[in-house]
Amino acid sequence: MKKLTSCTLVTPTYNWTKALELLLLSVLNQTVLPNEVIIADDGSKEDTKKLIEEFQKIFPIPLVHVWHEDNKNQKPKIMNKAIAIAKYDYIIEIDGDIIMEKNFVKDHLQFSQKGQYLFGSRVNIQQSILESIFKNKTINFNYFSKGIKKRNRTLRIPFIMNFVKPIDKISSKLRGCNMSFWRDDFIKINGFNESLVGWGIDDSEMIQRLHNIGIVGKRLKHSGIAFHIYHKEQSKS
């Protein structure tokens, strides 16, 4: 069995405490905990700060809140600030609307390799069950759960990863809500591009620059399972 590397879990957030609460509960549910969690807060209000302070009281690992003033979408800037203070070699990035399956961190660490980044898919939690999951603080889902889409992706079969080949260009399946990379590689390409202030391209643009320096990608198949909480899509204009 491979010795697991140390890691920092980083997530952006912006004014959605209900989703952030489920995310943090799913951190506590991990079979392998990250060494620290950093919340990259793009200018949320006081209720987000209070929620994080409540979790800091019960977290068995450091839970760090990095905040800057709200100035429209500045996710790349706040993510750079967060990763700049990360203390560990490997960065696992998720979005603030993700609930992690209990082996999520373990899978990212198990399949991490030098010269590579990892990216996973997501199972979509539908709008019809949002009220229920927020009320009941639901963080466990499976193939038979109601109100999810792409349920085949709930099946965890890590053995399949023995047959997954690395790729040397960006996959159309890449999603910033579920990926991981080496902090040293991220620093080599100067992090996220802070001139990108729209929505939806900062992760893939950063990954392209990793490819430009020879880093290859590997897709997590039936591993690194993440559940994405439904929300209206922002404008990409």
Side-chain angles (χ1 to χ4, degrees), residues 94-121:
I94 60 172
D95 275 353
D97 51 18
I98 290 293
I99 299 169
M100 297 173 286
E101 191 269 339
K102 67 181 182 179
N103 295 295
F104 181 89
V105 170
K106 178 183 178 183
D107 288 344
H108 271 273
L109 296 180
Q110 188 68 54
F111 300 115
S112 64
Q113 288 185 51
K114 288 288 187 182
Q116 295 185 1
Y117 68 89
L118 296 171
F119 63 100
S121 50

Side-chain angles (χ1 to χ4, degrees), residues 6-21:
S6 54
C7 74
T8 298
L9 179 75
V10 181
T11 180
T13 195
Y14 180 70
N15 284 330
W16 199 10
T17 53
K18 285 182 176 179
L20 182 60
E21 180 178 20

Side-chain angles (χ1 to χ4, degrees), residues 66 162 182 196:
V66 179
N162 291 322
W182 295 93
L196 297 172

Side-chain angles (χ1 to χ4, degrees), residues 20-196:
L20 182 60
E21 180 178 20
L22 296 187
L23 182 158
L24 291 172
L25 288 171
S26 77
V27 174
L28 293 173
N29 194 41
Q30 293 297 297
T31 56
V32 173
L33 286 169
N35 297 82
E36 66 178 349
V37 175
I38 302 179
I39 298 172
D41 187 344
D42 195 16
S44 299
K45 297 185 174 77
E46 188 70 16
D47 57 343
T48 295
K49 180 172 179 268
K50 286 179 178 171
L51 176 75
I52 294 166
E53 286 172 349
E54 287 304 307
F55 271 95
Q56 283 170 335
K57 294 173 187 173
I58 60 169
F59 246 57
I61 52 173
L63 175 59
V64 182
H65 184 200
V66 179
W67 180 92
H68 66 188
E69 196 171 348
D70 188 359
N71 188 17
K72 298 186 177 176
N73 188 332
Q74 289 191 299
K75 179 190 155 196
K77 187 172 186 176
I78 196 65
M79 287 293 286
N80 282 344
K81 286 179 179 177
I83 295 171
I85 65 164
K87 292 180 178 172
Y88 297 96
D89 297 336
Y90 200 65
I91 305 296
I92 301 176
E93 178 189 338
I94 60 172
D95 275 353
D97 51 18
I98 290 293
I99 299 169
M100 297 173 286
E101 191 269 339
K102 67 181 182 179
N103 295 295
F104 181 89
V105 170
K106 178 183 178 183
D107 288 344
H108 271 273
L109 296 180
Q110 188 68 54
F111 300 115
S112 64
Q113 288 185 51
K114 288 288 187 182
Q116 295 185 1
Y117 68 89
L118 296 171
F119 63 100
S121 50
R122 62 189 190 183
V123 182
N124 292 319
I125 298 172
Q126 295 179 286
Q127 187 175 12
S128 59
I129 65 165
L130 291 195
E131 187 178 346
S132 166
I133 68 166
F134 290 141
K135 180 183 176 184
N136 297 314
K137 305 195 191 309
T138 307
I139 57 168
N140 292 307
F141 301 89
N142 58 53
Y143 184 86
F144 300 104
S145 297
K146 291 180 180 176
I148 60 172
K149 279 185 359 190
K150 311 219 168 147
R151 57 185 65 242
N152 280 344
R153 293 179 180 173
T154 64
L155 300 173
R156 183 172 177 268
I157 317 167
F159 175 73
I160 287 174
M161 287 299 295
N162 291 322
F163 308 100
V164 176
K165 299 280 191 289
I167 55 171
D168 59 6
K169 60 182 180 181
I170 287 187
S171 166
S172 61
K173 308 283 188 188
L174 180 83
R175 297 289 181 272
C177 65
N178 181 354
M179 65 186 197
S180 58
F181 45 85
W182 295 93
R183 187 172 179 271
D184 283 351
D185 294 336
F186 183 79
I187 290 168
K188 279 177 196 167
I189 61 161
N190 206 27
F192 286 106
N193 183 347
E194 295 183 14
S195 69
L196 297 172

